[in-house]
Amino acid sequence: MPLADAQGRSITYLRLSLTDRCNFRCSYCSPLAAEQQEDPLSVAEVGRLARIFAGLGVRRVRLTGGEPTLRRDLLDIVTAVGAAPGIEEIALTTNGQALAALAAPLRQAGVTRVNVSLDTLDPGKLARLSGRAASLERILDGIRAAHAAGFASVKLNAVVMRGFNEGELGELARFGWSAGAIVRFIELMPFGEGVPVPIAEVKALLEAQGIRLEPDDSRGWGPAYHMRGTSQGPGEPRRGLLGFIGAMTENFCEGCNRVRVAADGTLRACLGGRDRAALKPLLRDGSDDEAIAGRIRAALAQKGEKHEMGRGLPLLPMIGTGG
């Protein structure tokens, strides 16, 4: 029987966090620089989980963190996930710091799509948001390398924060198109610091900054929806897709197709929930695949209709859940 949650939503997409370590300190993700995971899943354990989830109907796996490129065995992990019968796509989310060197090897190993966090094009702002280790030049080099490597898509994730980057949304859109990428504007979620900007206002700001928006029906695997933008600035018009993710003001829970395994080896049915089910002990105590699949099904049978973000309740840290 295909994997489904308590609401009958079909689950076909696994987001798998490989580590909660990160070389950035982004205030909206890890304001306390929490790094707790000292015993990550091994290559063999990740590969086994991928096979179990694939057997339950999962078709796409996204590797996340923390920062997944900090895993020295990342290419082996990609190969192990890709060996699972039924997995059609492997995607990766990264801060881009190591991507210039890794883009081509990742593509060769089997990663088909890559998302890069890019909240600002101002080096000073980036340092204030993400820490001194964050280098805009290295991130941009990584984005260019990803485009050259021939991934099916390169997407740039921009979390919009009031008083920080709402004045450069048009610039981010134009940069993305020039780099062969789609910029996705993400509403700030209540995991760390910062003041959110609602998606409706994000669109108005884009229009005010010279980006005319039109509807577009294309969708990906995740929660983002697209609009087609056209630059109204000087020079030749530029045109391309833009993505929008508004978890707080444009709830999309009814279409959820995702499940997460966090860096600590727990299944988390919802990014904005608090429930978790331990899978790591079963991977290490001799339990068979059927027992692990049973725990996965049981956890999803408890998944709520909607996320709990915005209710003032404590949430599990984003840095180890994978965003």
Side-chain angles (χ1 to χ4, degrees), residues 44 109 303:
K303 184 176 179 179

Side-chain angles (χ1 to χ4, degrees), residues 19 67 96-97 118 153 179 213 291 310:
T19 177
E67 175 48 45
Q97 194 80 347
L118 184 68
S153 75
L213 297 172

Side-chain angles (χ1 to χ4, degrees), residues 160 165-174 177 183-185 197 199-213 227-233 241-244:
V160 184
N165 61 351
E166 77 268 46
E168 54 180 312
L169 306 186
E171 185 182 2
L172 283 164
R174 295 181 186 97
W177 296 335
V183 177
R184 307 193 311 169
F185 297 104
V197 179
I199 287 296
E201 186 177 342
V202 168
K203 294 176 185 176
L205 287 166
L206 282 164
E207 295 273 3
Q209 294 169 28
I211 304 293
R212 181 167 55 85
L213 297 172
M227 297 190 75
R228 190 160 293 277
T230 303
S231 172
Q232 303 296 296
L241 290 178
L242 297 172
F244 299 90

Side-chain angles (χ1 to χ4, degrees), residues 49-114:
L49 270 184
R51 291 192 299 273
I52 293 170
F53 274 102
L56 294 171
V58 165
R59 294 293 172 258
R60 189 191 201 207
V61 176
R62 176 171 294 279
L63 303 176
T64 69
E67 175 48 45
T69 63
L70 295 181
R71 287 285 297 256
R72 295 183 179 181
D73 51 5
L74 176 59
L75 298 178
D76 294 331
I77 289 172
V78 173
T79 300
V81 172
I87 297 300
E88 298 170 1
E89 282 195 343
I90 304 172
L92 179 86
T93 296
T94 175
N95 61 28
Q97 194 80 347
L99 193 56
L102 283 173
L106 284 167
R107 182 68 192 94
Q108 185 174 10
V111 173
T112 50
R113 299 175 186 271
V114 64

Side-chain angles (χ1 to χ4, degrees), residues 41-53:
L41 297 178
S42 69
V43 174
E45 290 166 342
V46 170
R48 186 182 177 196
L49 270 184
R51 291 192 299 273
I52 293 170
F53 274 102

